[in-house]
Amino acid sequence: MARRLADWGVDTIFGLPGDGINGLMEGFRRHRDKIRFILVHHEEAAAFMATGYAKATGRLGICAATSGPGAIHLLNGLYDAKLDHVPVLAITGMQETSVLGSNYQQEVHTTQLFQDVAAYNLMITNPQQVPGVVDLAIRNALGKRTVAHLSFPNDLQVAPITGDPYRHVSPGKPPKSSTVLSQPPVPAAQADLDRAAEVLNAGRKVAMLVGVGARDARDEVLAVAEALASPIVKTLPGKMVVPDDHPLTTGGLGLLGTRPSEELMEECDTLLMVGTSYPYGKYLPEPGQARVVQIDVDPSLIGLRLPVEAAITADARLALGQLLPMLQARTERSFLGKYQKSRDAWLSDMVSLRDPDRNPIAPQYLMGCVDEAATNDAILTCDSGTVATWSARHWTIRGEREYYLSGNLASMAPGLPYAIAMQHAHPGRQVIAFVGDGGFAMLMAEFLTAVRHDLPVKVIVNNNNSYGQILWEQIILGYPEYAVRHRQPEADFAAWARACGAFGVKVADPAALPGAIREALAHPGPAVVDCDVNPNEPPMPGKIRYEQAKYFTESFLRGQPHKIATLASVARDKFNEFRS
């Protein structure tokens, strides 16, 4: 197995050994000159690292875990890979074949457990299967951009590769040339282009919604938007497709998005969706309001949210390049101009929220300090939670910056594992994990992994001593918050960083924050800035809907604790926006 993985160019495996994969570990040891095994503290982190590695490189991510509980721990990270369409191969152990079905210790049938997450899912039953099924697993993961899984019983891990206990006909060893996988960009069919051009040229108020599927098509996206005089709205995973300071974009969409983007969706009469099947239908145009053109390389993702008049199954870059000369350049640009003005006002409001005089520290100010100090090719990873709101609105995509989070799964805790894997994949770039105290605490042992592997990741902890997003979700449902704030003492993650032999600083004074951020980013090794932020700062939606305001009020009437501090935070935000 190790040799076959090396034949495919695999150079990194993230995992945690156990007696269920000791035979595999010996194979990895014998080939450690070709494959680096990065030892983690929790299998969930290994799966997140494999996912992050695949997201940042486009290559196959691989994670390994022992049988039973080790394999079970992989699932959260593997679902993250599946739902965000990245190729990951999971390798797990299994009890000896002679004891299967006997209620043996840790006997968990992982092929049944993984049947929903893995497109290719097999328990190996004969040593001579290995080269061929490794090829098939990798081809499925790469070709379908999803998860594959191989389970390897203990006795087969140590069996002679020439052994055939069942006296079956040997399939033979595949030739090395079979490790070549062709993935050419898919061009669009002319009939589909003709229909799309017809719809787009007929539109008067055209909007574009672009997702991470268009990440390699920045120039083409901008050229098409310019021709159509179309504002560009971005999904959160697609944040890096277009620079945030470009005049054609209105920013993100949805709960973490911008007011101009939401209002744009309410007014447009034509929508061009590129590289996204955006899951939150309530933020899209009402069915029948807008004619829709959708471009996606996966035909199964077209038409999931809205009726589509023109569908193009193709690579985003190629399709947009083919479509561009068929579009009628617009001279009427009042629709675009309206939302450019709205966007400028929104950005001014966002800058006003980065108030350095507020104490406790405003989380917007924390993210703003990181944004100002980071390099133009920095990679930011983020956890789910309120940190996603602050990063969505205050991390500026410019230059070659990138941005990653758990998109469709929206899992807590991937920020640090992502950063470790991406720093390993891109040793010359600045990699920053912007995480909440809740997500960091779940897998904080992996910071020690970064130290041990000399990976200079920078971790910025937005510490509100609570599960902040859940807190606000309870309020928005009309309930007073319950069981979402931690008791004292508050965690000091900077002390943990120093205990690991790394840089760590705790910040509670807003005046000290910019210097602490700059010092951490300049540090040659791993670093943690643990920043105490205002726990009562609400992650307000771009546009407050009636139902949200209604439930917010009801939660206060029912006895919401900390309501004075919360109202004071909201009032200060609105005052700053007005003053700007």
PDB file of all heavy atoms in Angstrom, residues 64-79:
ATOM      1  N   ALA A  64      -5.144   8.618   8.259  1.00  0.00           N
ATOM      2  CA  ALA A  64      -5.131   7.216   8.686  1.00  0.00           C
ATOM      3  C   ALA A  64      -5.491   7.127  10.158  1.00  0.00           C
ATOM      4  O   ALA A  64      -5.084   7.970  10.964  1.00  0.00           O
ATOM      5  CB  ALA A  64      -3.749   6.600   8.444  1.00  0.00           C
ATOM      6  N   ALA A  65      -6.257   6.092  10.510  1.00  0.00           N
ATOM      7  CA  ALA A  65      -6.672   5.898  11.895  1.00  0.00           C
ATOM      8  C   ALA A  65      -6.834   4.412  12.158  1.00  0.00           C
ATOM      9  O   ALA A  65      -7.068   3.615  11.251  1.00  0.00           O
ATOM     10  CB  ALA A  65      -7.986   6.624  12.178  1.00  0.00           C
ATOM     11  N   THR A  66      -6.740   4.070  13.403  1.00  0.00           N
ATOM     12  CA  THR A  66      -6.880   2.674  13.806  1.00  0.00           C
ATOM     13  C   THR A  66      -8.343   2.244  13.728  1.00  0.00           C
ATOM     14  O   THR A  66      -9.226   3.017  13.367  1.00  0.00           O
ATOM     15  CB  THR A  66      -6.316   2.475  15.222  1.00  0.00           C
ATOM     16  OG1 THR A  66      -6.248   1.073  15.520  1.00  0.00           O
ATOM     17  CG2 THR A  66      -7.171   3.181  16.258  1.00  0.00           C
ATOM     18  N   SER A  67      -8.603   1.011  14.078  1.00  0.00           N
ATOM     19  CA  SER A  67      -9.958   0.470  14.034  1.00  0.00           C
ATOM     20  C   SER A  67     -10.817   1.070  15.145  1.00  0.00           C
ATOM     21  O   SER A  67     -10.325   1.736  16.052  1.00  0.00           O
ATOM     22  CB  SER A  67      -9.911  -1.051  14.174  1.00  0.00           C
ATOM     23  OG  SER A  67      -9.208  -1.410  15.358  1.00  0.00           O
ATOM     24  N   GLY A  68     -12.118   0.810  15.059  1.00  0.00           N
ATOM     25  CA  GLY A  68     -13.033   1.210  16.127  1.00  0.00           C
ATOM     26  C   GLY A  68     -13.084   2.710  16.352  1.00  0.00           C
ATOM     27  O   GLY A  68     -13.375   3.489  15.441  1.00  0.00           O
ATOM     28  N   PRO A  69     -12.785   3.143  17.582  1.00  0.00           N
ATOM     29  CA  PRO A  69     -12.951   4.564  17.915  1.00  0.00           C
ATOM     30  C   PRO A  69     -12.069   5.486  17.087  1.00  0.00           C
ATOM     31  O   PRO A  69     -12.461   6.616  16.791  1.00  0.00           O
ATOM     32  CB  PRO A  69     -12.574   4.628  19.402  1.00  0.00           C
ATOM     33  CG  PRO A  69     -11.819   3.375  19.674  1.00  0.00           C
ATOM     34  CD  PRO A  69     -12.355   2.349  18.741  1.00  0.00           C
ATOM     35  N   GLY A  70     -10.895   5.028  16.699  1.00  0.00           N
ATOM     36  CA  GLY A  70     -10.032   5.870  15.869  1.00  0.00           C
ATOM     37  C   GLY A  70     -10.690   6.194  14.543  1.00  0.00           C
ATOM     38  O   GLY A  70     -10.696   7.344  14.090  1.00  0.00           O
ATOM     39  N   ALA A  71     -11.261   5.181  13.906  1.00  0.00           N
ATOM     40  CA  ALA A  71     -11.953   5.397  12.637  1.00  0.00           C
ATOM     41  C   ALA A  71     -13.179   6.284  12.816  1.00  0.00           C
ATOM     42  O   ALA A  71     -13.468   7.159  11.993  1.00  0.00           O
ATOM     43  CB  ALA A  71     -12.355   4.057  12.031  1.00  0.00           C
ATOM     44  N   ILE A  72     -13.911   6.079  13.899  1.00  0.00           N
ATOM     45  CA  ILE A  72     -15.110   6.878  14.154  1.00  0.00           C
ATOM     46  C   ILE A  72     -14.753   8.357  14.262  1.00  0.00           C
ATOM     47  O   ILE A  72     -15.473   9.231  13.759  1.00  0.00           O
ATOM     48  CB  ILE A  72     -15.815   6.389  15.432  1.00  0.00           C
ATOM     49  CG1 ILE A  72     -16.369   4.965  15.235  1.00  0.00           C
ATOM     50  CG2 ILE A  72     -16.936   7.338  15.844  1.00  0.00           C
ATOM     51  CD1 ILE A  72     -16.833   4.298  16.510  1.00  0.00           C
ATOM     52  N   HIS A  73     -13.628   8.657  14.892  1.00  0.00           N
ATOM     53  CA  HIS A  73     -13.225  10.058  15.078  1.00  0.00           C
ATOM     54  C   HIS A  73     -12.951  10.777  13.755  1.00  0.00           C
ATOM     55  O   HIS A  73     -12.995  12.004  13.695  1.00  0.00           O
ATOM     56  CB  HIS A  73     -11.961  10.125  15.945  1.00  0.00           C
ATOM     57  CG  HIS A  73     -12.218   9.900  17.397  1.00  0.00           C
ATOM     58  ND1 HIS A  73     -11.218   9.555  18.289  1.00  0.00           N
ATOM     59  CD2 HIS A  73     -13.360   9.954  18.129  1.00  0.00           C
ATOM     60  CE1 HIS A  73     -11.725   9.415  19.497  1.00  0.00           C
ATOM     61  NE2 HIS A  73     -13.033   9.653  19.423  1.00  0.00           N
ATOM     62  N   LEU A  74     -12.665  10.042  12.704  1.00  0.00           N
ATOM     63  CA  LEU A  74     -12.371  10.681  11.415  1.00  0.00           C
ATOM     64  C   LEU A  74     -13.601  11.326  10.775  1.00  0.00           C
ATOM     65  O   LEU A  74     -13.479  12.218   9.932  1.00  0.00           O
ATOM     66  CB  LEU A  74     -11.819   9.650  10.414  1.00  0.00           C
ATOM     67  CG  LEU A  74     -10.441   9.045  10.655  1.00  0.00           C
ATOM     68  CD1 LEU A  74     -10.168   7.983   9.600  1.00  0.00           C
ATOM     69  CD2 LEU A  74      -9.351  10.126  10.605  1.00  0.00           C
ATOM     70  N   LEU A  75     -14.781  10.878  11.157  1.00  0.00           N
ATOM     71  CA  LEU A  75     -15.967  11.165  10.356  1.00  0.00           C
ATOM     72  C   LEU A  75     -16.247  12.651  10.177  1.00  0.00           C
ATOM     73  O   LEU A  75     -16.642  13.085   9.095  1.00  0.00           O
ATOM     74  CB  LEU A  75     -17.189  10.475  10.957  1.00  0.00           C
ATOM     75  CG  LEU A  75     -17.339   8.997  10.584  1.00  0.00           C
ATOM     76  CD1 LEU A  75     -18.458   8.356  11.393  1.00  0.00           C
ATOM     77  CD2 LEU A  75     -17.628   8.847   9.094  1.00  0.00           C
ATOM     78  N   ASN A  76     -16.082  13.448  11.211  1.00  0.00           N
ATOM     79  CA  ASN A  76     -16.444  14.862  11.076  1.00  0.00           C
ATOM     80  C   ASN A  76     -15.609  15.540   9.992  1.00  0.00           C
ATOM     81  O   ASN A  76     -16.138  16.248   9.135  1.00  0.00           O
ATOM     82  CB  ASN A  76     -16.264  15.589  12.410  1.00  0.00           C
ATOM     83  CG  ASN A  76     -17.064  16.862  12.478  1.00  0.00           C
ATOM     84  OD1 ASN A  76     -18.198  16.918  12.020  1.00  0.00           O
ATOM     85  ND2 ASN A  76     -16.487  17.905  13.038  1.00  0.00           N
ATOM     86  N   GLY A  77     -14.308  15.302  10.013  1.00  0.00           N
ATOM     87  CA  GLY A  77     -13.455  15.891   8.991  1.00  0.00           C
ATOM     88  C   GLY A  77     -13.732  15.334   7.606  1.00  0.00           C
ATOM     89  O   GLY A  77     -13.606  16.049   6.603  1.00  0.00           O
ATOM     90  N   LEU A  78     -14.116  14.059   7.526  1.00  0.00           N
ATOM     91  CA  LEU A  78     -14.418  13.466   6.224  1.00  0.00           C
ATOM     92  C   LEU A  78     -15.705  14.038   5.639  1.00  0.00           C
ATOM     93  O   LEU A  78     -15.801  14.260   4.421  1.00  0.00           O
ATOM     94  CB  LEU A  78     -14.522  11.943   6.350  1.00  0.00           C
ATOM     95  CG  LEU A  78     -13.227  11.221   6.733  1.00  0.00           C
ATOM     96  CD1 LEU A  78     -13.466   9.717   6.811  1.00  0.00           C
ATOM     97  CD2 LEU A  78     -12.110  11.533   5.745  1.00  0.00           C
ATOM     98  N   TYR A  79     -16.692  14.285   6.476  1.00  0.00           N
ATOM     99  CA  TYR A  79     -17.904  14.923   5.965  1.00  0.00           C
ATOM    100  C   TYR A  79     -17.608  16.346   5.498  1.00  0.00           C
ATOM    101  O   TYR A  79     -18.216  16.840   4.542  1.00  0.00           O
ATOM    102  CB  TYR A  79     -19.011  14.922   7.023  1.00  0.00           C
ATOM    103  CG  TYR A  79     -19.883  13.693   6.951  1.00  0.00           C
ATOM    104  CD1 TYR A  79     -19.738  12.655   7.861  1.00  0.00           C
ATOM    105  CD2 TYR A  79     -20.841  13.568   5.951  1.00  0.00           C
ATOM    106  CE1 TYR A  79     -20.530  11.514   7.786  1.00  0.00           C
ATOM    107  CE2 TYR A  79     -21.645  12.437   5.862  1.00  0.00           C
ATOM    108  CZ  TYR A  79     -21.487  11.413   6.777  1.00  0.00           C
ATOM    109  OH  TYR A  79     -22.263  10.283   6.686  1.00  0.00           O
TER     110      TYR A  79
END
